Amino acid sequence: MGINVLIVDDESYCVTTLMEEIDWQSRDIGQVFGAYNADQARKILMEESVGLILCDIEMPGESGLELIEWVREGARLSGYNTECIILTCHPEYHFMRKAMQIGCSDYLLKPIDYTELHRVLDRAMDKLNENTKE
């Protein structure tokens, strides 16, 4: 069945490219969902169990960091583990620091280096698989 993935970015091109360019099946991914803002992401997260989130920071309405804080609060209450990776064009330290404070497993800058993204995804999947065995 695998782990479900949610890609959140207000740029539809980014969501589509990540959904199509990564061999999710080889990583034992069940389904890959796409959302273009935090509201759409919340709806998906309330209906589906998602183990991995790839999220942009700057989106209309609510930032990706605020969305991940909401995810973390839900995980704290439910005990469900979700790995979160930031994909953004913002290299500013205060964004990186906030991402680390809320427990993001990595922070990648756009344009995406797919070699690095594959390494980050493999680490996140290893961590999720370890946690499900415990």
Side-chain angles (χ1 to χ4, degrees):
M1 185 175 112
I3 293 167
N4 291 333
V5 173
L6 174 61
I7 302 168
V8 188
D9 197 311
D10 60 321
E11 296 176 28
S12 61
Y13 172 78
C14 291
V15 173
T16 304
T17 300
L18 288 168
M19 290 176 95
E20 293 173 355
E21 294 296 318
I22 295 173
D23 183 6
W24 296 106
Q25 234 177 352
S26 71
R27 289 184 165 79
D28 194 31
I29 298 299
Q31 284 188 274
V32 181
F33 299 97
Y36 305 108
N37 58 50
D39 287 339
Q40 288 179 354
R42 274 195 173 87
K43 287 177 185 164
I44 292 167
L45 290 163
M46 286 190 269
E47 294 175 8
E48 306 288 343
S49 62
V50 172
L52 178 62
I53 299 174
L54 288 87
C55 189
D56 189 17
I57 289 179
E58 196 171 319
M59 297 183 289
E62 183 177 17
S63 79
L65 295 172
E66 292 168 313
L67 172 65
I68 292 171
E69 283 184 298
W70 177 82
V71 168
R72 289 289 179 235
E73 181 61 21
R76 187 183 64 76
L77 297 173
S78 69
Y80 187 77
N81 183 43
T82 302
E83 288 295 307
C84 300
I85 298 167
I86 296 291
L87 303 176
T88 186
C89 60
H90 293 287
E92 293 87 357
Y93 173 74
H94 68 278
F95 285 128
M96 289 181 217
R97 185 169 188 261
K98 180 67 175 179
M100 296 305 114
Q101 287 173 336
I102 61 175
C104 292
S105 59
D106 221 311
Y107 191 102
L108 298 176
L109 293 176
K110 295 176 184 175
I112 302 297
D113 173 342
Y114 280 89
T115 302
E116 181 64 18
L117 178 58
H118 288 289
R119 280 194 291 267
V120 167
L121 288 172
D122 290 342
R123 280 195 307 264
M125 294 302 296
D126 288 347
K127 193 170 180 182
L128 284 167
N129 289 327
E130 284 176 26
N131 289 337
T132 56
K133 289 177 187 173
E134 293 174 359

